[in-house]
């Protein structure tokens, strides 16, 4: 039996989902209401009155779901929840998605996204034309060149998103080296 899967993190990126599930069928952008995105080392969602999470719907077979479960660390790191995904203001479908377990939340709460992961998520959101909750000032805007099969930041014609992620990670590491030692001073 096929099921709809709602992706809100790195699996929005077509390259990432293709690595994990080569035959995944993309349905398109969708929104879940009553939830919000939460940064816990990797993307997570939690219930939130008035919240909204933009993501991508895929149609998966049971075998594909089992493969994805393994990548997502189900059931130890992520559990599954059923929810309604809005494909437009009037139409919704029943879908499943992954939500961190309580143990994973305790372990990862307050930890920032790795730079490469965040850029993979950002590129996926941009690819699908949805609100990009992962984009930070100074990040490249990505486009996808089908003929070359790579993500290309417009200002750097031959660079893949992985190269851009490495540059972002270096930028982050350089900033950490330049940060003052010993904490902040009180005035």
């Amino acid at each position: 039996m096929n099921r709809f899967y709602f992706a809100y993190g790195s699996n929005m990126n077509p390259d990432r989902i293709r690595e994990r599930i080569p035959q995944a069928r993309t349905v398109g952008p969708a929104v879940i209401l009553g939830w919000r995105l939460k940064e816990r080392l990797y993307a997570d969602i939690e219930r939130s009155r008035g919240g909204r999470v933009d993501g991508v719907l895929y149609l998966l077979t049971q075998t594909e779901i089992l493969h994805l479960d393994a990548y997502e660390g189900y059931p130890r790191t992520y559990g599954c929840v059923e929810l309604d995904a809005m494909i437009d203001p009037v139409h919704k479908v029943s879908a499943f998605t992954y939500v961190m377990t309580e143990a994973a939340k305790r372990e990862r709460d307050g930890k920032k996204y790795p730079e490469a992961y965040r850029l993979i998520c950002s590129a996926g959101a941009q690819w699908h034309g949805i609100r990009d909750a992962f984009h930070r000032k100074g990040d490249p805007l990505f486009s996808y060149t089908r003929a070359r099969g790579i993500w290309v930041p417009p200002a750097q014609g031959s660079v893949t998103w992985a190269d851009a992620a490495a540059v972002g990670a270096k930028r982050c590491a350089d900033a950490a080296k330049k940060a003052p030692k010993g904490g902040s001073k009180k005035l």
Side-chain angles (χ1 to χ4, degrees):
M1 180 173 136
N2 294 340
R3 294 178 63 200
F4 290 108
Y5 160 57
F6 179 81
Y8 56 85
S10 66
N11 286 337
M12 294 187 297
N13 188 308
D15 289 342
R16 175 61 59 96
I17 198 72
R18 207 175 304 122
E19 287 170 8
R20 295 176 173 186
I21 307 171
Q23 302 305 316
R25 278 115 12 246
T26 305
V27 176
V31 172
I32 56 173
L33 302 175
W35 294 84
R36 71 178 177 145
L37 195 61
K38 186 72 176 170
E39 188 170 356
R40 294 187 172 109
L41 187 61
Y42 297 101
D44 189 22
I45 57 171
E46 62 186 20
R47 291 196 181 276
S48 175
R49 180 180 228 112
R52 170 195 172 113
V53 177
D54 290 68
V56 178
L57 274 179
Y58 297 98
L59 187 62
L60 305 179
T61 66
Q62 194 60 40
T63 301
E64 292 167 334
I65 292 169
L66 292 173
H67 284 113
L68 190 57
D69 284 349
Y71 280 109
E72 296 297 329
Y74 173 82
R76 187 176 186 161
T77 305
Y78 283 92
C80 284
V81 295
E82 294 288 326
L83 42 72
D84 289 330
M86 305 296 296
I87 54 176
D88 63 36
V90 180
H91 299 94
K92 63 184 174 184
V93 296
S94 180
F96 79 94
T97 196
Y98 296 95
V99 177
M100 277 190 194
T101 63
E102 291 303 317
K105 287 178 188 178
R106 282 190 303 275
E107 177 185 321
R108 296 174 175 195
D109 206 31
K111 295 183 179 176
K112 299 288 184 193
Y113 299 131
E115 188 76 358
Y117 172 83
R118 188 180 61 71
L119 288 170
I120 289 168
C121 296
S122 180
Q126 289 177 43
W127 165 251
H128 290 286
I130 60 177
R131 187 172 55 103
D132 184 358
F134 299 91
H135 186 80
R136 302 288 185 268
K137 185 177 179 179
D139 283 354
L141 293 175
F142 295 90
S143 62
Y144 188 75
T145 305
R146 289 183 193 270
R148 291 172 51 201
I150 60 170
W151 291 95
V152 181
Q156 303 170 9
S158 65
V159 179
T160 68
W161 62 260
D163 294 330
V167 168
K170 183 179 181 332
R171 182 179 67 207
C172 194
D174 290 346
K177 287 178 188 175
K178 293 176 185 174
K181 304 285 189 241
S184 61
K185 294 180 181 178
K186 292 185 179 180
L187 298 175

